[in-house]
Amino acid sequence: MRLPASRFAIRSPLTSLVPALGTVLLAACLCSASAQTALVVEDPYREAFRPQIHFSPREKWMNDPNGLVYVHGVYHLFFQYYPHGTTWGPMHWGHATSRDLLHWRQQPIALYPDSLGYIFSGSAVVDSNNTSGFGRNGKIPLVAIFTHHDPEGEKKGASNYQNESIAYSLDEGKTWVKYRHNPVLKNPGIKDFRDPKVIWYAPGNKWVMSLATKDRISFFSSADLKNWKKESEFGADKGAHGGVWECPDLFPLTFDGKTWWVLFVSINPGGPNGGSGTQYFIGQFDGSRFTPADEQTKWIDYGPDDYAGVTWSNTGNRRIFLGWMSNWNYANEVPTRSWRNAMTLPRELRLRKEDNTVFLCSQPVKELNALKLHPPAALPDSGASQYIAGFRADATKDFSIVLSNAAGESLTIGFDKASDRYYIDRRHAGLAAFHQGFAATSYAPRLTRDSKATLTLVVDAASAELFADGGLTVMTSIFFPAKPLGRISLHSASPDGIRQVSWSELKSIW
Ligand code: FRU
């Protein structure tokens, strides 16, 4: 159940062999009698497979979203970042900001590794009451809570090399000061002790930290973000345990006039389609203890490519989710050139009841509508690389949506009535040899008995996100086609089994 040692082992960065994209290439051009020098500037955001509506770093390696926090009209996205290579390496917190969750501007690196170790995943909060005392001259501090991972301790075989630390910013995330007395939460001897997600628990007038501790989530509380007291543990005997527990999130959502608490737990391996996946529990939290309302194992996204997702803090009644659109099975090998890995679309979360069980529903944030190109084309055979499409289907029969291109590649998204499952088949969708097992079909259960299915599909250069049944079942899958999969064809076992009700190409965010 432990992370394979290689997960956090540093590989020799390939980047030294690959010219960094975004650099200016000087090409000797011998096209006229007198040799001239031509300046060729390559646009890094037009590189093959570069997502056009999803955040990806301008260059180098990225994994988990971190420190998601909304401050004065700006969404902050920090992320696990290795600025010196395109494979996982000593972790920093990269930083990007956006006013609409879609157009991102990459900012200078926020947190660098130091004598206590690499900067692993964590969260950020607005400390409005200055409980930490880091505020000065009326400036409200932003406080980041993260894991310090000490690679030396790991190498020596210690068991306490992951500890929780804090840093603060008085200029809205531009610059950060690490707390002098880090770490603030010391490891009692549990190898996997990481990824603190902190919320303000108003009824108890205290901060609550959810921390992944090997095979369970441990909850801690604090009045000042510096002194932490253990409250309880959850999950050693609940949910999926095919791998180590990582990246929790805990937050309330109102539904049917009642407050429910949602707990996310990412797990790797052991996801629903192999490798990485994020399960969730819904129940009650009393400031100290989490109690699930049912025993069903549920997944935020059943596709292979949505991991380590968490939600923004400080967004009022909105609950907005962002995941890392990859899978540890192959994240280090995907065939992009100057950068590796992107985030999912930001998604708004709601609750819904099916057969007396409460489920989470995800939908792309409404801000995505602003990217729609008008007028929308009616029958897409467009060669478009990024688009959104809506479908209605008869879920009493099989149906499928085939996305294809002129190179003969295709991605099939469908419903199999016999097993009552949605699926995404990427076996013929482009490059796959970089990882054995990448060319596969992934499956997800249909969670409603409604005979009509509504589907929203968002396609980008190298990804498809399916929101079925109002977001009750979500599947995200990445793929690497030679040309955009801009052609859509519909197939069904009954004459009117599936129809397309909307389609719009989306403007690039870059
Ligand atoms: C999840 C994860 C976290 C860890 C980080 C390291 O993908 O393994 O548990 O903090 O990545 O980059």
Side-chain angles (χ1 to χ4, degrees):
M1 296 218 310
R2 191 102 36 80
L3 279 171
S6 61
R7 261 295 296 296
F8 293 144
I10 302 170
R11 301 173 181 227
S12 61
L14 290 174
T15 24
S16 51
L17 307 172
V18 181
L21 203 72
T23 50
V24 177
L25 305 173
L26 278 177
C29 175
L30 298 166
C31 46
S32 69
S34 60
Q36 293 177 349
T37 301
L39 206 57
V40 182
V41 181
E42 205 173 348
D43 179 351
Y45 291 111
R46 305 283 159 199
E47 194 186 337
F49 312 127
R50 178 69 89 166
Q52 296 300 311
I53 55 167
H54 292 84
F55 177 75
S56 57
R58 185 180 171 90
E59 57 171 9
K60 310 301 190 229
W61 168 271
M62 176 179 78
N63 58 290
D64 316 357
N66 295 151
L68 304 182
V69 62
Y70 181 61
V71 191
H72 294 146
V74 176
Y75 293 92
H76 292 263
L77 159 58
F78 299 90
F79 48 89
Q80 289 286 278
Y81 189 48
Y82 181 46
H84 306 298
T86 50
T87 50
W88 191 88
M91 284 288 116
H92 300 53
W93 271 27
H95 186 200
T97 51
S98 170
R99 292 192 166 268
D100 64 359
L101 291 161
L102 294 165
H103 295 88
W104 294 99
R105 185 176 294 234
Q106 203 165 329
Q107 304 290 352
I109 289 172
L111 295 172
Y112 286 80
D114 56 41
S115 61
L116 295 177
Y118 303 162
I119 313 297
F120 270 22
S121 286
S123 49
V125 294
V126 180
D127 183 13
S128 308
N129 300 329
N130 197 18
T131 62
S132 60
F134 290 140
R136 293 269 180 285
N137 308 325
K139 281 192 191 151
I140 290 177
L142 267 186
V143 180
I145 309 96
F146 57 89
T147 301
H148 257 128
H149 171 98
D150 171 19
E152 298 306 323
E154 184 184 23
K155 255 185 248 150
K156 283 189 206 130
S159 56
N160 60 351
Y161 51 82
Q162 295 187 336
N163 293 278
E164 314 328 311
S165 290
I166 58 179
Y168 65 94
S169 169
L170 295 179
D171 56 7
E172 304 202 351
K174 286 188 196 72
T175 57
W176 292 83
V177 180
K178 290 185 187 126
Y179 179 46
R180 263 192 294 155
H181 303 295
N182 276 338
V184 291
L185 177 56
K186 289 210 176 109
N187 189 321
I190 303 170
K191 277 191 178 158
D192 298 298
F193 192 76
R194 60 177 177 272
D195 308 339
K197 178 74 159 86
V198 173
I199 56 165
W200 176 248
Y201 183 75
N205 213 20
K206 62 182 184 181
W207 301 100
V208 169
M209 176 199 292
S210 308
L211 191 72
T213 51
K214 191 179 171 187
D215 59 350
R216 63 198 70 186
I217 301 304
S218 298
F219 298 106
F220 297 83
S221 69
S222 172
D224 58 5
L225 295 163
K226 295 171 176 163
N227 297 288
W228 293 93
K229 167 179 160 251
K230 185 160 175 184
E231 295 283 349
S232 69
E233 290 178 354
F234 166 78
D237 57 352
K238 296 273 186 301
H241 282 276
V244 73
W245 282 25
E246 301 184 314
C247 299
D249 194 358
L250 173 74
F251 56 87
L253 270 183
T254 308
F255 167 67
D256 253 359
K258 185 173 161 187
T259 299
W260 297 82
W261 285 81
V262 182
L263 176 65
F264 289 175
V265 179
S266 282
I267 152 175
N268 180 72
N273 280 287
S276 318
T278 303
Q279 57 185 323
Y280 70 91
F281 302 88
I282 295 182
Q284 295 307 321
F285 181 71
D286 64 4
S288 168
R289 194 164 287 278
F290 177 82
T291 315
D294 63 84
E295 295 282 319
Q296 200 171 326
T297 301
K298 305 172 188 131
W299 301 88
I300 288 184
D301 188 318
Y302 287 84
D305 299 302
D306 180 357
Y307 192 61
V310 285
T311 63
W312 259 276
S313 71
N314 207 34
T315 50
N317 288 334
R318 287 185 88 186
R319 190 48 68 173
I320 306 164
F321 166 91
L322 193 77
W324 177 50
M325 196 156 61
S326 195
N327 189 309
W328 281 114
N329 276 352
Y330 41 73
N332 277 284
E333 283 131 41
V334 293
T336 55
R337 196 157 67 103
S338 64
W339 92 99
R340 271 218 176 88
N341 306 314
M343 295 300 178
T344 65
L345 278 179
R347 302 168 183 178
E348 184 136 6
L349 306 178
R350 288 188 193 79
L351 297 179
R352 165 167 147 196
K353 229 177 216 176
E354 283 292 322
D355 283 344
N356 241 6
T357 303
V358 186
F359 288 94
L360 205 57
C361 284
S362 321
Q363 289 282 324
V365 291
K366 60 179 189 303
E367 284 84 346
L368 186 66
N369 289 327
L371 296 185
K372 287 181 181 168
L373 278 171
H374 291 289
L379 229 199
D381 184 3
S382 58
S385 122
Q386 65 279 356
Y387 53 89
I388 181 167
F391 306 88
R392 297 236 165 88
D394 170 7
T396 64
K397 303 261 167 46
D398 291 359
F399 60 79
S400 63
I401 304 162
V402 179
L403 313 181
S404 60
N405 62 17
E409 296 163 334
S410 63
L411 182 84
T412 305
I413 295 143
F415 174 65
D416 173 55
K417 180 62 207 159
S419 61
D420 233 0
R421 290 186 301 175
Y422 290 106
Y423 61 89
I424 299 186
D425 177 355
R426 65 179 175 195
R427 287 175 302 155
H428 312 290
L431 299 183
F434 56 88
H435 178 82
Q436 207 196 352
F438 182 83
T441 303
S442 45
Y443 294 92
R446 186 156 197 263
L447 297 168
T448 174
R449 290 167 201 257
D450 192 341
S451 64
K452 292 189 188 69
T454 52
L455 313 172
T456 301
L457 181 64
V458 184
V459 176
D460 199 350
S463 65
E465 289 160 281
L466 172 70
F467 302 87
D469 305 315
L472 196 57
T473 296
V474 179
M475 297 188 83
T476 300
S477 183
I478 58 172
F479 46 84
F480 301 93
K483 292 196 164 75
L485 299 178
R487 221 185 251 168
I488 301 180
S489 66
L490 305 179
H491 309 266
S492 163
S494 66
D496 281 324
I498 177 159
R499 86 199 148 80
Q500 188 166 317
V501 292
S502 62
W503 185 85
S504 186
E505 190 172 356
L506 298 167
K507 283 179 259 187
S508 171
I509 58 171
W510 303 118

